[in-house]
Amino acid sequence: MATRRNLLVMGMAAATASALGACGAVAGRVGVGSGSGDGEPVAGLRIMVPNSPGGGYDTTARTAVKVMEDARIATGVQVFNLPGAAGTVGLQRTVDERGNGRLAMQMGLGVVGASYTSKSAATLARTTPLAKLIEEAGAIVVPKNSPYRTIDDLVAAWMADPRGIAVGGGSSPGGPDHLLPMRLARTVGIDPRQVDYVSYDGGGELLPAVLGGKVTFGASGFGEFLDQVEAGQLRVLAVTSEASIEALRDVPTLKSSGIDLVFTNWRGIVAPPGISDADRRMWVDVLTRMHDSAEWRAELAKRGWTDAFVTGDEFGAFLTEQDRSVADLLKQLGLA
């Protein structure tokens, strides 16, 4: 069965060396098209993914680039991974690339939280907001041999022994995969401080932990697990959306299971600080044309992503609100 993503096998040193070397070569490259609607595909663009291959950021970036290529919006766009510190290594690199209008970073709610919990010197306020792309519901999943057949089974066991049930997520404390089980615990009457949360650096590391039974259940964006669900390796007990999801039509929502919780993650793209107005307009134009394409609409439907496209100043205002909200919550939990 063909998978939706390529799970690349590489060492951290190789990934870092490749990323750093490539970053240094970007600034002098010049694109062919202007990205302002002249019909010429834009060239020389690069998108950094600040966590491991195979995760949600990686899948989103590579899907967006494939659409750009297929629709001849951009050509030769390179995606590279620079994992570390829950995305803040990539965030620091983005901030350090000041003025580099050919580089952008795939990011989302997880990077917002990590910038606080990792005590990062680099902040999203120092980047150039480009666009919010999608929102995605979360999923509660277990391996195929798990004794828990329903979300009620799992919650009952969790309530009976909160510290004995380990939950894995593909983000650090403060990220969406951490916030989801904490909010779920609070909703069902479990003290979040008792939750045994095991953090992994992106879905690419979370997946084998769930499959291998290193955690009792996983909590992450449902798109992380679709291939393994279809292959019968994982079972989804519930999704966290308001309504059922087409890609998992037989899976109940938390709300339909009697648990009053809706939770969605989001993903967007930012650029380094200090880029020119022309480069900012070019990126927004490329991303807008990608969003408007039939190819992107098909990917949204296939992956069950919710279209949440906003650009520029509107995305900047959204980032400011998210930053404030996450910071307040993390302070309440003693994590910021």
Side-chain angles (χ1 to χ4, degrees):
M1 172 182 144
T3 60
R4 291 188 176 86
R5 63 185 68 89
N6 293 324
L7 295 177
L8 306 180
V9 180
M10 62 179 70
M12 175 72 78
T16 304
S18 174
L20 293 178
C23 279
V26 171
R29 297 187 64 178
V30 178
V32 175
S34 69
S36 58
D38 60 4
E40 287 288 329
V42 178
L45 302 182
R46 308 186 76 243
I47 298 178
M48 176 199 302
V49 176
N51 58 13
S52 302
Y57 291 167
D58 191 66
T59 300
T60 305
R62 294 181 190 278
T63 300
V65 167
K66 183 178 185 303
V67 169
M68 292 177 193
E69 299 271 358
D70 290 348
R72 290 195 52 76
I73 296 164
T75 184
V77 184
Q78 297 180 15
V79 179
F80 66 94
N81 299 79
L82 186 59
T88 57
V89 170
L91 177 59
Q92 183 67 62
R93 170 60 56 177
T94 302
V95 170
D96 289 346
E97 289 280 342
R98 183 178 183 85
N100 184 353
R102 294 284 153 172
L103 176 68
M105 182 181 76
Q106 179 71 63
M107 49 75 70
L109 180 57
V111 177
V112 178
S115 67
Y116 286 98
T117 57
S118 297
K119 304 295 189 291
S120 173
T123 65
L124 284 165
R126 296 174 61 190
T127 66
T128 302
L130 296 176
K132 181 172 73 163
L133 300 179
I134 63 167
E135 292 178 349
E136 182 182 37
I140 305 299
V141 302
V142 294
K144 64 179 180 180
N145 59 350
S146 169
Y148 306 114
R149 308 294 300 183
T150 68
I151 189 66
D152 288 340
D153 293 342
L154 176 63
V155 167
W158 200 16
M159 292 178 69
D161 185 15
R163 298 187 187 278
I165 300 288
V167 51
S171 62
S172 65
D177 292 2
H178 172 252
L179 296 176
L180 169 53
M182 295 302 159
R183 290 181 180 175
L184 177 57
R186 181 177 296 172
T187 301
V188 301
I190 297 171
D191 185 345
R193 292 172 296 182
Q194 292 186 308
V195 174
D196 180 11
Y197 177 75
V198 184
S199 174
Y200 295 91
D201 191 6
E205 292 187 8
L206 170 63
L207 184 60
V210 178
L211 289 171
K214 294 182 179 179
V215 293
T216 307
F217 70 98
S220 190
F222 76 88
E224 308 275 1
F225 308 116
L226 281 177
D227 292 332
Q228 288 70 33
V229 171
E230 291 179 358
Q233 297 174 315
L234 290 176
R235 183 163 58 251
V236 183
L237 301 185
V239 291
T240 67
S241 49
E242 182 74 42
S244 60
I245 292 171
E246 180 64 24
L248 296 168
R249 64 182 66 186
D250 296 326
V251 176
T253 65
L254 290 174
K255 288 194 74 173
S256 70
S257 302
I259 299 171
D260 189 18
L261 177 65
V262 173
F263 181 92
T264 56
N265 188 15
W266 57 268
R267 299 187 189 123
I269 293 182
V270 298
I275 66 172
S276 69
D277 289 343
D279 281 337
R280 183 172 180 266
R281 287 193 301 269
M282 175 272 297
W283 271 110
V284 170
D285 178 72
V286 165
L287 293 167
T288 300
R289 291 164 63 196
M290 181 211 71
H291 165 263
D292 293 344
S293 69
E295 291 88 345
W296 183 248
R297 290 193 297 273
E299 290 291 346
L300 292 177
K302 180 173 74 173
R303 299 176 185 279
W305 290 340
T306 299
D307 186 5
F309 190 73
V310 295
T311 64
D313 292 341
E314 188 175 356
F315 180 42
F318 173 81
L319 275 182
T320 299
E321 182 276 327
Q322 288 285 290
D323 187 82
R324 183 183 303 112
S325 174
V326 170
D328 288 346
L329 178 58
L330 292 178
K331 288 174 183 176
Q332 293 172 16
L333 296 173
L335 296 174

